[in-house]
Amino acid sequence: MSAVHTSIIIPVYNKWELTRNCLISLAETLPPGIFEIIVVDNASRDETMMACPALGRELFGDALHYHRSEQNLNFGPANNLAAKMAKGEFLVLLNNDTVAKPGWYHPLLEDFARIDKLGATGPLLVYPPSEPFGETVQHLGVSVDPFLNVGHLYEGIPAQSPLVRKRRFFQIITGACMMMPRAVFMEMGGFDEVYVNGFEDVDLCIRMRMAGYFLTVNPESTIVHHASQSPGRMDKERENARHFARTTQGLLAPDLHLHLEGDEMRLELTDWQIVRPAVLDHVKSKLTPLLSLTDMHALKNVLVRYPFWSEGCRRLAELAAVQQGAEHAMGYWRLLSRTNPSPDHMLSMLECARDAKNSEMVTLAFQSLMRSCHTFEYYRTKAEKRRLVARHWSLGELAGAYEGWLARIDSFRPGLHTPFMRKMYELARNTNPSPLWDWAYALWQEAVDVPRRAVAPKASQAGGQKAPHFSILMPVYNPDIGHLREAVASVLEQDWPDWELCMADDASTLPHVRRILEAYAASEPRIRVQFRETNGNISAATNTALEMARYEYAVLMDQDDLLTPDALSQVALAIGNHPDGKLFYSDEDKINDHLEFCHPHFKGGWDPELILGQNYISHLGVYLTDRVRACGAFREGFEGAQDHDLVLRYTEGLSSGEIVHIPAVLYHWRIHDSSTASSVDAKPAAVIAGVRSVKEHLERTGVAGEVERIEGCGLYRVRRKLEQPAPLVSLLVDLGSAVDLWPSISKALFGNSDYAKLEALLLCDPELDAPSRKRLARDIEPLRQVKLVEQKSGLNAAERLNLAIEKAQGAVLGVLGRGIVPESPGWLNWVVAHLRSGGIGAVGGKIVSGEGRIHHFGHAVTADRKLFSIFRGLPANSDAWYGWPRISRTVASLDPRCVFLHRKDLLEAGGLDPAFGDVALIDFCLKCRQKGLISVAEPNAVFRLTHLTDADWEDGVFVSDEELCAKWRNDLHPHHPDLAFGQEGWALYYGQ
């Protein structure tokens, strides 16, 4: 027999205080015996490295083994490593956020002597004591609901409830504390290291069950669990869930209803479609008279026995509010949120938390409420699908409950859904929610978009102009039939009748596809189908659909995506309003496997810079059919980027007025594992094709340069070749009084830049003291291309720059404001090459703070016509808003401390307007915009802001100069009418 009986494995990452408490509790509760403690430190950066070995030796002597990894191995690999090191017959896998209670060890060990073929056992995990019931259940085993969602059985109920004391067997138990024979763990191959800090224990349990082992939880053993305290615990939850779904399909079965039946309860479907435990009707009828009780102690005793009696919980919370105050009432509402979750309960908890001035609980309640923010259509579709799932599992009562819900659907919207969404709308207005947060987008749809569309003008099919007709081009190949049917249904539901659906099957190998397509063609004359004899690719199949097209407008649509019901009528309206338009494109969003619309892409108008970095036109794209054919249609060899390639060729020679943006979501892009809507990594060849399409566009339009993929994403950068001879650049460097910055600026000008034709004109404060002026003169004396420009007192920034411009010799002028230091290699080449490419009035770089966060990267115009500095405070290479911080794009104006422009354009504008002082260069950018010249933010020219004041952050988000705003307000066209400023860049605009 091994000299060590049990090896306790604790992986840790920071959070030393938790680890300390865990180790102390083990020392206090482990019986004298043969054990070892193995702590695997995942490269903690706090005091763990020094404190853990010292405390371990003090508590356990040589039985403590501390292993430090030089990198974070994450949960699974750390446990696997420790298991290989372990000498014990049994392993206890233990989280460091646990505190063992006396007597926890022996009941678990005894399980293996009592239960044959036991793979693993675990203790009852409880939350730390809190009002009003003390300890409550965190883990009593994992149950599986009828929709294969896993959750902790009876989480949140009082730990002293009789429901807790029963022995149960499960498909899954938690790895937060799990005892098992080491031989079983090694037989299973340990944790699957594909998972990252999530689902490792679930996957292991399923494999143990498949091997014939049993799993249980022993309620005689209790451990306190401070749940989900590990940093990074939820970072990979979506990826983990996808891998779990792929590898365990068909291995889980619902068991929640079986646990409830054993405890004389049932599954209940609430009005909000929450499936939860509930007491049986005859029990409820006996309990109902107790609702008249005013004795809170007596009512609490009842709820310990019947914690899922929701009416009693609500009564207790109401009594607490009257008898004990809001702080105590919060505890009961929190209990309700776990045992009987409901938006109504969480709203009551939010109100109590506000009354008690408990900001932590306010945040908790609001975050919980977010999870109920779904569109009405989401709830309807969810009920229809879940009814079928319940039937599949032979859960007739639950299926009937969903049928009853659907029968009452007309009362759900006005009675519950709309009032709730309006309440959440008011709560959210002050939070600046990002449009990429699913809950915020659902809220915006219900509170803003649906009412607006209901009263929106409709295109007319009558009148003098011919009504537009649309040919919808849909290539088809081995589709998911459910997705295909939904896609076709979305076409059939269009409120604009003048369309045809041209479906080109690319030699699908699934035999039922032909039958389904033929049935569509037979049932609807507007649906036409062509079957290709050989499989080509999406380009070839779309070209086949294009050959079938009979109408003047071609609409691109994938086989698994959805159109909104008003998609074609909105396009028809735009055509009527823009008769010269030749390309029409709309906003889009995504639809996921949970039937939620998410990640909306609210686009702006035509941006000739942005289109080189990404195909933001995408869906819904509507083209002139003849022009598509004339420009070569879809080229084979560009699969995955075929739409981007078409857009680039199609728009060559078009003016911005001929490219029309429709500011409405008209297209739902399906997310699934093989779709680029999910990740560009799903189709890596698409990125290669995209690079090639942009490069060939540059060649056709006479732009010399290279195209590169931006690392880690599906975006591109264009490295323009600087035309020779290169122009002389005059840099106006405003040192102010900070002459000590000159050495670093000089190094950046003449070290980080290989640009040869450069002169620098230094502007200093007139009041600069004599020693500083003398030192600066000495420093610049050897540099012939550097001059010190004398300044007069009393001049504002525009006046000072105008005087310096008179002395500048360069065709290109650059302004570097106070504290702005060039940082990236080759920065000036990027700027000048961009500026000289034509049609550009001004170029600016990316200004970052000392902490590596964006300080300025161009101004954008919000829905309420304000100029704001977009993405301020985000990491310099953030992927926010579809990767904008990483790609070149058109902006409304630039930070006046970092602007490059053509001298002739400035002189034609009459120089900088002295009336605008510090913001005169913003005024110049807006003048350029008025003349048809764009301003561009170039991400590859990075500048460091060395002098950062509080005002830079607090006052610099919006351009606040009143005279400037008054002058340009009517010319500041919002990037999108539904976008405002938020902490993540764009936020949803809810109006005033």
Side-chain angles (χ1 to χ4, degrees):
M1 189 178 200
S2 170
V4 175
H5 187 263
T6 302
S7 300
I8 301 176
I9 296 171
I10 309 174
V12 302
Y13 176 59
N14 295 328
K15 299 284 185 177
W16 163 242
E17 197 60 33
L18 291 175
T19 305
R20 176 182 177 276
N21 293 337
C22 177
L23 292 175
I24 291 173
S25 73
L26 291 176
E28 293 174 345
T29 59
L30 279 169
I34 306 172
F35 64 88
E36 64 178 352
I37 310 289
I38 303 174
V39 176
V40 179
D41 183 353
N42 275 323
S44 295
R45 297 188 299 272
D46 63 359
E47 58 265 50
T48 299
M49 180 171 63
M50 300 297 295
C52 187
L55 180 64
R57 285 191 297 270
E58 178 185 336
L59 295 176
F60 306 106
D62 293 339
L64 189 284
H65 305 291
Y66 173 81
H67 176 84
R68 178 172 172 82
S69 171
E70 293 307 314
Q71 61 182 359
N72 189 344
L73 301 176
N74 294 314
F75 179 81
N79 275 289
N80 290 344
L81 173 64
K84 293 174 183 177
M85 298 165 55
K87 300 174 182 177
E89 177 185 355
F90 289 92
L91 303 178
V92 173
L93 310 181
L94 187 67
N95 281 10
N96 71 325
D97 57 359
T98 56
V99 174
K101 300 188 72 173
W104 73 273
Y105 175 77
H106 278 303
L108 300 183
L109 191 62
E110 291 167 358
D111 279 347
F112 291 96
R114 296 174 178 173
I115 303 171
D116 291 336
K117 200 65 174 176
L118 181 63
T121 185
L124 165 68
L125 297 180
V126 297
Y127 286 110
S130 63
E131 291 292 334
F133 286 99
E135 291 178 344
T136 55
V137 171
Q138 191 270 318
H139 176 80
L140 183 59
V142 172
S143 59
V144 184
D145 76 10
F147 315 105
L148 304 185
N149 299 308
V150 297
H152 297 292
L153 181 68
Y154 300 160
E155 181 179 9
I157 72 172
Q160 66 268 35
S161 172
L163 291 172
V164 177
R165 311 322 306 175
K166 291 181 63 174
R167 166 76 73 171
R168 297 177 173 85
F169 291 89
F170 297 94
Q171 298 174 77
I172 302 163
I173 62 174
T174 182
C177 183
M178 177 190 293
M179 176 180 276
M180 63 192 307
R182 179 177 181 274
V184 173
F185 188 78
M186 303 309 288
E187 176 192 343
M188 294 298 103
F191 286 124
D192 185 344
E193 297 184 6
V194 170
Y195 296 101
V196 180
N197 299 334
F199 283 83
E200 295 95 338
D201 49 358
V202 179
D203 171 79
L204 177 64
C205 288
I206 289 176
R207 286 186 279 126
M208 283 194 285
R209 289 282 296 153
M210 294 301 295
Y213 291 103
F214 292 99
L215 306 170
T216 191
V217 166
N218 191 330
E220 300 304 316
S221 170
T222 305
I223 285 181
V224 177
H225 188 200
H226 299 267
S228 298
Q229 292 295 311
S230 301
R233 166 65 182 85
M234 304 297 289
D235 289 354
K236 298 291 183 180
E237 196 72 0
R238 179 169 291 185
E239 293 88 339
N240 290 335
R242 286 178 179 167
H243 181 70
F244 176 75
R246 287 194 298 268
T247 56
T248 62
Q249 190 171 13
L251 301 181
L252 279 177
D255 63 8
L256 174 59
H257 63 290
L258 300 176
H259 290 297
L260 294 178
E261 287 174 8
D263 293 329
E264 297 184 342
M265 290 190 291
R266 65 182 178 86
L267 279 177
E268 178 182 71
L269 180 69
T270 72
D271 288 336
W272 284 97
Q273 289 192 48
I274 297 169
V275 177
R276 68 185 185 192
V279 298
L280 299 176
D281 289 343
H282 75 275
V283 175
K284 184 184 293 187
S285 64
K286 293 180 180 178
L287 294 173
T288 298
L290 300 179
L291 292 175
S292 61
L293 286 174
T294 57
D295 183 343
M296 291 184 60
H297 181 73
L299 199 52
K300 280 178 65 174
N301 288 337
V302 175
L303 285 171
V304 169
R305 174 69 181 87
Y306 299 103
F308 293 101
W309 179 37
S310 59
E311 293 85 355
C313 287
R314 174 177 281 276
R315 173 61 175 165
L316 197 53
E318 292 168 348
L319 286 174
V322 174
Q323 298 180 19
Q324 299 177 323
E327 188 70 38
H328 285 84
M330 264 192 318
Y332 295 98
W333 289 119
R334 190 167 190 181
L335 173 67
L336 266 171
S337 73
R338 286 175 171 162
T339 59
N340 296 278
S342 158
D344 301 330
H345 295 159
M346 292 312 301
L347 281 171
S348 296
M349 177 176 160
L350 179 65
E351 292 172 359
C352 275
R354 280 181 165 178
D355 292 343
K357 296 180 172 55
N358 188 321
S359 59
E360 181 181 351
M361 294 300 287
V362 168
T363 300
L364 178 68
F366 189 74
Q367 289 174 343
S368 179
L369 287 164
M370 292 175 191
R371 293 193 283 271
S372 296
C373 288
H374 301 290
T375 63
F376 172 77
E377 187 62 23
Y378 163 85
Y379 282 104
R380 183 186 66 79
T381 307
K382 177 181 175 182
E384 291 172 343
K385 295 207 169 188
R386 289 198 161 186
R387 175 181 62 84
L388 298 176
V389 173
R391 289 289 180 202
H392 169 78
W393 292 114
S394 300
L395 298 174
E397 185 177 351
L398 183 60
Y402 276 109
E403 289 168 1
W405 189 95
L406 288 166
R408 302 188 305 273
I409 192 171
D410 289 340
S411 62
F412 170 72
R413 187 167 207 166
L416 289 176
H417 186 254
T418 298
F420 170 74
M421 295 298 268
R422 285 177 178 167
K423 180 71 172 179
M424 285 299 295
Y425 170 76
E426 293 302 322
L427 291 173
R429 288 184 70 169
N430 297 323
T431 67
N432 285 330
S434 166
L436 297 186
W437 296 347
D438 294 350
W439 72 270
Y441 180 49
L443 189 61
W444 176 86
Q445 285 178 292
E446 287 293 317
V448 178
D449 195 44
V450 170
R452 182 171 61 193
R453 292 199 191 209
V455 297
K458 302 293 184 182
S460 174
Q461 293 172 266
Q465 288 187 333
K466 178 185 175 183
H469 288 61
F470 302 97
S471 295
I472 303 171
L473 312 183
M474 181 184 289
V476 176
Y477 180 71
N478 286 348
D480 177 292
I481 296 304
H483 293 169
L484 177 66
R485 291 191 185 281
E486 291 174 359
V488 175
S490 77
V491 176
L492 293 170
E493 292 167 1
Q494 289 300 300
D495 57 15
W496 183 265
D498 298 328
W499 55 264
E500 63 176 355
L501 176 59
C502 303
M503 307 177 76
D505 179 71
D506 198 20
S508 293
T509 58
L510 299 176
H512 55 274
V513 174
R514 175 180 283 268
R515 182 176 68 254
I516 291 171
L517 295 183
E518 289 175 339
Y520 274 128
S523 63
E524 170 56 66
R526 293 176 294 180
I527 297 179
R528 303 166 62 223
V529 179
Q530 182 74 40
F531 294 95
R532 291 171 49 83
E533 294 183 359
T534 59
N535 177 256
N537 47 54
I538 191 169
S539 296
T542 308
N543 283 338
T544 298
L546 179 63
E547 292 169 3
M548 301 163 61
R550 299 175 296 185
Y551 295 147
E552 63 268 35
Y553 290 100
V555 181
L556 306 186
M557 183 178 181
D558 291 342
Q559 65 183 14
D560 47 8
D561 297 341
L562 307 176
L563 301 180
T564 63
D566 61 345
L568 296 183
S569 63
Q570 290 264 19
V571 176
L573 183 64
I575 290 171
N577 292 333
H578 302 273
D580 295 330
K582 294 181 173 59
L583 170 60
F584 298 85
Y585 65 98
S586 76
D587 301 332
E588 61 189 275
D589 62 17
K590 296 181 177 66
I591 181 171
N592 61 26
D593 291 337
H594 302 292
L595 311 175
E596 295 170 297
F597 299 127
C598 56
H599 285 83
H601 191 172
F602 296 122
K603 308 167 188 177
W606 173 244
D607 188 338
E609 286 298 319
L610 187 62
I611 196 63
L612 300 179
Q614 63 178 198
N615 178 20
Y616 75 93
I617 298 294
S618 199
H619 310 300
L620 179 68
V622 180
Y623 303 76
L624 290 173
T625 305
D626 288 343
R627 186 175 175 88
V628 174
R629 290 169 176 157
C631 71
F634 294 88
R635 295 196 294 172
E636 297 188 39
F638 289 84
E639 286 70 42
Q642 71 282 346
D643 290 1
H644 197 181
D645 178 61
L646 173 66
V647 167
L648 291 170
R649 288 182 287 113
Y650 185 96
T651 56
E652 289 167 11
L654 295 184
S655 68
S656 60
E658 295 174 306
I659 305 170
V660 180
H661 170 230
I662 304 169
V665 172
L666 304 182
Y667 194 98
H668 306 302
W669 193 1
R670 180 85 62 174
I671 300 176
H672 52 76
D673 288 341
S674 62
S675 168
T676 50
S678 171
S679 168
V680 295
D681 293 332
K683 295 181 180 179
V687 178
I688 298 172
V691 169
R692 184 178 158 210
S693 67
V694 176
K695 181 171 178 55
E696 293 191 10
H697 167 73
L698 297 181
E699 292 171 353
R700 289 191 303 270
T701 55
V703 177
E706 296 298 321
V707 184
E708 306 163 349
R709 175 185 180 177
I710 299 176
E711 300 77 10
C713 60
L715 306 173
Y716 322 119
R717 70 166 63 92
V718 174
R719 191 185 295 270
R720 291 171 171 82
K721 183 178 180 180
L722 183 59
E723 295 181 0
Q724 298 299 328
L728 174 65
V729 176
S730 296
L731 283 175
L732 313 182
V733 183
D734 190 353
L735 290 176
S737 59
V739 297
D740 291 340
L741 287 178
W742 171 245
S744 59
I745 295 176
S746 176
K747 181 180 178 181
L749 297 184
F750 306 112
N752 280 356
S753 174
D754 55 1
Y755 197 94
K757 301 178 67 174
L758 174 65
E759 69 169 1
L761 286 74
L762 307 187
L763 287 69
C764 299
D765 284 344
E767 296 81 10
L768 186 66
D769 62 86
S772 297
R773 185 178 294 275
K774 184 176 181 179
R775 185 171 67 252
L776 180 61
R778 184 182 65 244
D779 290 343
I780 68 174
E781 185 176 0
L783 303 172
R784 290 187 302 171
Q785 65 270 54
V786 179
K787 302 175 184 177
L788 182 61
V789 179
E790 295 296 331
Q791 297 286 296
K792 299 178 182 178
S793 298
L795 302 181
N796 64 29
E799 291 168 332
R800 298 172 70 212
L801 287 173
N802 281 336
L803 288 175
I805 291 168
E806 292 178 3
K807 301 180 182 299
Q809 302 297 312
V812 171
L813 303 176
V815 177
L816 293 181
R818 300 185 182 190
I820 302 293
V821 179
E823 183 172 83
S824 55
W827 60 275
L828 191 50
N829 291 59
W830 281 100
V831 169
V832 177
H834 217 142
L835 187 63
R836 301 278 284 185
S837 61
I840 298 176
V843 175
K846 182 190 294 184
I847 304 175
V848 299
S849 67
E851 294 77 28
R853 295 186 173 273
I854 295 172
H855 180 74
H856 191 89
F857 192 38
H859 288 122
V861 183
T862 64
D864 52 354
R865 297 178 181 270
K866 293 180 180 179
L867 281 172
F868 82 101
S869 180
I870 195 167
F871 305 130
R872 177 164 294 190
L874 294 184
N877 287 321
S878 168
D879 287 323
W881 199 250
Y882 301 94
W884 272 24
R886 304 182 71 180
I887 51 180
S888 171
R889 56 189 170 80
T890 299
V891 296
S893 66
L894 298 161
D895 190 312
R897 293 170 295 181
C898 183
V899 179
F900 296 80
L901 48 91
H902 290 285
R903 179 189 181 89
K904 65 176 181 61
D905 290 337
L906 183 59
L907 294 178
E908 289 175 3
L912 298 176
D913 190 337
F916 295 118
D918 291 342
V919 296
L921 277 164
I922 296 178
D923 177 65
F924 172 75
C925 289
L926 297 175
K927 287 179 179 177
C928 288
R929 193 181 192 191
Q930 200 174 48
K931 292 171 56 179
L933 297 175
I934 62 175
S935 296
V936 172
E938 172 53 69
N940 298 291
V942 181
F943 299 80
R944 182 75 56 178
L945 179 60
T946 60
H947 282 43
L948 187 63
T949 66
D950 291 340
D952 283 322
W953 288 109
E954 296 171 3
D955 302 330
V957 175
F958 290 99
V959 175
S960 57
D961 187 276
E962 293 182 4
E963 291 186 13
L964 181 77
C965 294
K967 174 182 177 180
W968 291 104
R969 183 168 183 80
N970 293 333
D971 294 290
L972 291 178
H973 302 293
H975 173 79
H976 192 286
D978 293 311
L979 291 179
F981 168 75
Q983 293 181 351
E984 295 184 6
W986 289 117
L988 288 164
Y989 181 63
Y990 287 136
Q992 299 301 322

